[in-house]
Amino acid sequence: MPKVSIKICTKLHTILQDESFNNFQVVQLRDRFLAASTSNQSVGDAYKFIYRQVSRLVKKRALRKVNKESTKTVTYQKTELFDQINFVINGPIEASKPLQKLLDRTEQDAIQQLKERLKQSEVDLLTSIGESEEYMRLYKSFPEMKEHLESQYIVARENSSKLLGQIKAIKSVLSHQQK
């Protein structure tokens, strides 16, 4: 009988190769998978991924589905064929396509939030510059208010400098994210 080849992700293969890991439920395999994973994959996404992989292994007869009527639980056992299968190990990118889509969406959201923050900071900067310019005009018109206007001018100018720093930082992060 020719050897069967099945593609499988590295972490899942490692867990299933453990001889003590047999007679398991999908939830148990999912929990082991999440414990071994370094990604922030949701429990639901991980369950779907593991369930699809287990179903595929059942179809290929590498695993046997066992229904326990008394407890209404489903467990899976490795078959004799399991040890004869040639597992082709996929890298982490292949195993986490749903996760990659989620990360891409999250990155897009972050970029959008950064762009909105940049616009708001630019508006705040223009407001602050206008405020400091107005304090200078008022100072020239009302020299008797020098002390109060000068302190307000300095505060507005410092605020402008902080906003300019924020804008530079946001632009730097945006340019890095969009590469």
Side-chain angles (χ1 to χ4, degrees):
M1 180 166 144
K3 217 169 188 190
V4 178
S5 292
I6 298 176
K7 288 184 180 181
I8 191 168
C9 96
T10 309
K11 289 179 184 75
L12 192 56
H13 180 258
T14 303
I15 296 166
L16 290 173
Q17 287 299 317
D18 183 353
E19 287 183 27
S20 65
F21 195 77
N22 203 3
N23 295 316
F24 60 90
Q25 295 176 359
V26 173
V27 174
Q28 294 168 320
L29 183 55
R30 176 208 61 197
D31 291 346
R32 277 261 191 109
F33 180 79
L34 284 173
S37 180
T38 56
S39 67
N40 292 329
Q41 189 172 16
S42 75
V43 174
D45 287 342
Y47 184 88
K48 289 175 192 173
F49 172 73
I50 296 298
Y51 185 81
R52 284 192 305 266
Q53 300 306 308
V54 167
S55 295
R56 195 166 53 90
L57 291 170
V58 168
K59 284 181 186 173
K60 299 278 187 176
R61 298 186 182 151
L63 297 177
R64 179 181 312 117
K65 185 176 180 177
V66 180
N67 294 321
K68 293 184 181 175
E69 300 250 346
S70 60
T71 60
K72 294 186 180 182
T73 58
V74 176
T75 58
Y76 296 89
Q77 297 174 343
K78 297 175 196 170
T79 65
E80 300 78 34
L81 184 62
F82 183 86
D83 293 323
Q84 298 171 12
I85 292 175
N86 178 34
F87 287 104
V88 178
I89 308 300
N90 282 342
I93 293 172
E94 285 295 313
S96 61
K97 284 183 182 178
L99 176 62
Q100 190 60 45
K101 286 180 184 175
L102 178 66
L103 290 174
D104 289 345
R105 241 182 292 135
T106 304
E107 191 173 311
Q108 297 276 334
D109 291 345
I111 289 171
Q112 186 59 37
Q113 287 177 357
L114 284 168
K115 286 180 178 179
E116 289 171 13
R117 200 166 176 176
L118 178 62
K119 284 180 187 175
Q120 185 59 50
S121 293
E122 287 171 337
V123 168
D124 292 347
L125 177 62
L126 291 173
T127 303
S128 186
I129 290 171
E131 183 182 359
S132 62
E133 288 173 350
E134 186 59 25
Y135 284 129
M136 285 301 291
R137 281 192 288 275
L138 289 170
Y139 170 72
K140 289 177 183 174
S141 299
F142 305 103
E144 66 275 4
M145 300 173 124
K146 176 185 178 184
E147 194 174 305
H148 174 70
L149 293 172
E150 193 173 50
S151 67
Q152 292 299 322
Y153 169 76
I154 291 170
V155 169
R157 203 174 62 191
E158 287 173 357
N159 192 30
S160 296
S161 296
K162 286 179 187 175
L163 286 166
L164 190 58
Q166 288 174 1
I167 289 169
K168 279 183 158 183
I170 293 169
K171 282 182 177 179
S172 170
V173 171
L174 267 173
S175 69
H176 176 74
Q177 287 296 104
Q178 292 176 334
K179 285 184 180 178

